[in-house]
C-alpha cells in the first residue's frame, strides 16, 4: 500500500491539481496532508475543498492557524475574504499531528515540529539536537502518545524536501511544498510504501517526488483575481527563492 504525504499548498490550485492527478494515475491508496492549505496563492478556498475531498488525514499548519485571527494588513485580509466562514471553520478543526503504524514502524506526522506549528526546524541551519527533538513529545502531542518514540517523523513547513537518518533506528523526512517550493521550482511531496497499519516488520520505503506544473498559469490566475503582493509571490514560484514579506 502507498500513502502520499503532501504539504504547504498555499492556495496554489494549479500545483495541487497536478499532484492529485499524478497520484490518481499511479493509483496511490491514501493521501495525507500536513497543513498550510491556504494563503500566499489565490485559491485557498478551492484548495480547502480539494483537500477535504481527496485527503484522508489533514493536520494543522501555521498558516491554517494564524489566518483565522484578526488581520492587521490588507494582504492577509484579502486571503481571509477568499476563504470565507465555512473554510475558516474547517481550518479550526484540524489536529496537531497524526500517528500510525506501517510495516512495523511507528510514524508521526505534523506540520512544523513536535514543539509547535510555529517552531521551525531547518536541518541545514539548526543543530542535530533540534532534529532529535522532532522525535520527542510536547503538550501538543496527544497525552496517550507522548511516551512513544516514533521510528519515522515527517513534516512540512520549510518548503524544502529532505530525508535524513537521525540514528540507526530513526528517520526524519520533509515533504517539501506542493504549492510554494523554496528549493526547486517544482511541486514536491513524498510517497510512503509499506503495509499500512501493520505492526509486523515488512518492506518500507520513502519516495521523494518532484513534479513540474504550469507556474505561469498559476501566476496569471492570481493576476486576474487581483491578488495583492503578486510580484514577490510570482518570483518565489519561478525561482524557488523566498522573496515576499509573507511567512513560509
Amino acid at each position: 500500500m502507498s500513502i502520499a504525504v503532501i504539504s504547504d499548498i498555499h492556495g496554489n490550485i494549479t500545483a495541487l491539481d497536478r499532484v492529485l492527478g499524478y497520484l490518481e494515475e499511479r493509483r496511490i491508496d491514501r493521501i495525507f496532508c500536513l497543513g498550510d492549505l491556504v494563503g500566499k496563492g489565490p485559491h485557498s478556498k478551492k484548495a480547502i475543498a480539494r483537500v477535504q475531498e481527496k485527503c484522508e488525514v489533514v493536520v494543522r499548519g501555521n498558516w491554517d492557524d494564524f489566518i483565522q485571527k484578526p488581520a492587521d494588513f490588507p494582504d492577509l485580509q484579502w486571503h481571509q475574504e477568499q476563504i470565507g466562514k465555512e473554510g475558516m471553520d474547517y481550518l479550526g478543526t484540524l489536529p496537531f499531528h497524526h500517528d500510525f503504524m506501517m510495516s512495523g514502524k511507528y510514524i508521526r506526522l505534523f506540520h512544523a515540529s513536535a514543539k509547535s506549528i510555529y517552531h521551525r526546524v531547518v536541518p541545514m541551519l539548526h543543530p542535530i539536537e533540534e532534529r532529535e527533538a522532532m522525535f520527542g513529545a510536547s503538550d501538543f502531542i496527544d497525552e496517550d502518545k507522548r511516551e512513544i518514540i516514533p521510528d519515522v517523523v515527517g513534516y512540512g513547513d520549510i518548503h524544502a524536501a529532505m530525508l535524513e537518518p537521525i540514528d540507526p533506528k530513526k528517520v526524519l523526512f520533509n515533504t517539501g511544498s506542493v504549492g510554494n517550493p523554496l528549493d526547486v521550482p517544482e511541486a514536491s511531496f513524498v510517497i510512503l510504501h509499506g503495509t499500512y497499519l501493520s505492526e509486523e516488520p515488512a518492506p518500507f520505503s520513502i519516495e521523494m517526488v518532484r513534479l513540474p506544473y504550469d507556474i505561469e498559469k498559476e501566476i496569471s490566475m492570481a493576476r486576474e483575481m487581483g491578488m495583492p503582493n503578486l510580484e514577490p509571490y510570482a518570483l518565489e514560484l519561478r525561482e524557488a527563492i523566498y522573496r515576499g514579506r509573507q511567512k513560509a
Side-chain angles (χ1 to χ4, degrees):
M1 185 171 288
S2 300
I3 300 173
V5 187
I6 66 174
S7 189
D8 294 272
I9 297 152
H10 286 295
N12 185 338
I13 199 66
T14 307
L16 178 58
D17 282 347
R18 176 76 175 98
V19 169
L20 293 176
Y22 172 82
L23 296 176
E24 185 175 352
E25 290 171 6
R26 288 192 53 179
R27 299 184 180 181
I28 300 301
D29 301 283
R30 287 174 164 80
I31 306 174
F32 294 171
C33 179
L34 304 190
D36 274 10
L37 284 62
V38 301
K40 296 176 80 77
H43 286 115
S44 293
K45 185 174 183 177
K46 287 184 178 180
I48 291 172
R50 294 282 200 286
V51 166
Q52 286 180 293
E53 177 187 1
K54 299 293 185 179
C55 296
E56 182 175 312
V57 169
V58 187
V59 302
R60 184 171 75 256
N62 55 304
W63 268 83
D64 306 321
D65 184 67
F66 77 70
I67 206 163
Q68 300 175 58
K69 301 171 183 178
D72 57 0
F73 58 93
D75 294 4
L76 189 58
Q77 292 172 354
W78 187 91
H79 288 285
Q80 290 174 328
E81 291 169 2
Q82 303 305 309
I83 294 168
K85 184 180 184 306
E86 185 176 346
M88 291 290 193
D89 289 345
Y90 171 72
L91 295 176
T93 69
L94 300 179
F96 179 80
H97 70 104
H98 179 70
D99 294 12
F100 62 99
M101 295 293 299
M102 193 171 197
S103 293
K105 298 183 184 301
Y106 193 94
I107 301 174
R108 176 166 292 158
L109 303 175
F110 42 63
H111 178 70
S113 75
K115 296 178 180 179
S116 165
I117 56 173
Y118 294 101
H119 183 80
R120 181 157 295 159
V121 176
V122 183
M124 294 296 290
L125 301 179
H126 294 128
I128 185 63
E129 290 79 12
E130 281 281 13
R131 280 112 76 197
E132 291 172 341
M134 299 286 268
F135 296 81
S138 73
D139 290 344
F140 294 105
I141 302 297
D142 294 344
E143 188 172 359
D144 62 338
K145 298 181 173 68
R146 290 176 192 169
E147 300 302 317
I148 301 173
I149 300 174
D151 303 294
V152 179
V153 166
Y155 72 116
D157 184 55
I158 62 174
H159 298 209
M162 71 90 194
L163 178 66
E164 180 183 14
I166 299 302
D167 63 32
K169 294 186 178 181
K170 297 190 188 77
V171 174
L172 178 67
F173 73 84
N174 190 285
T175 63
S177 170
V178 167
N180 187 219
L182 297 177
D183 50 2
V184 175
E186 297 178 342
S188 176
F189 55 96
V190 161
I191 301 176
L192 306 178
H193 302 278
T195 307
Y196 184 51
L197 300 182
S198 174
E199 298 183 8
E200 296 297 319
F204 173 79
S205 63
I206 301 173
E207 177 186 355
M208 316 291 287
V209 184
R210 306 276 191 176
L211 191 64
Y213 72 98
D214 192 341
I215 291 173
E216 296 307 318
K217 176 183 177 182
E218 181 64 19
I219 294 170
S220 177
M221 288 195 296
R223 183 175 292 110
E224 290 174 1
M225 290 177 65
M227 190 185 84
N229 209 30
L230 174 61
E231 291 312 312
Y233 174 71
L235 285 172
E236 285 183 16
L237 296 191
R238 290 170 177 147
E239 301 177 9
I241 299 173
Y242 178 69
R243 300 287 188 180
R245 59 192 172 104
Q246 299 175 345
K247 302 177 182 179

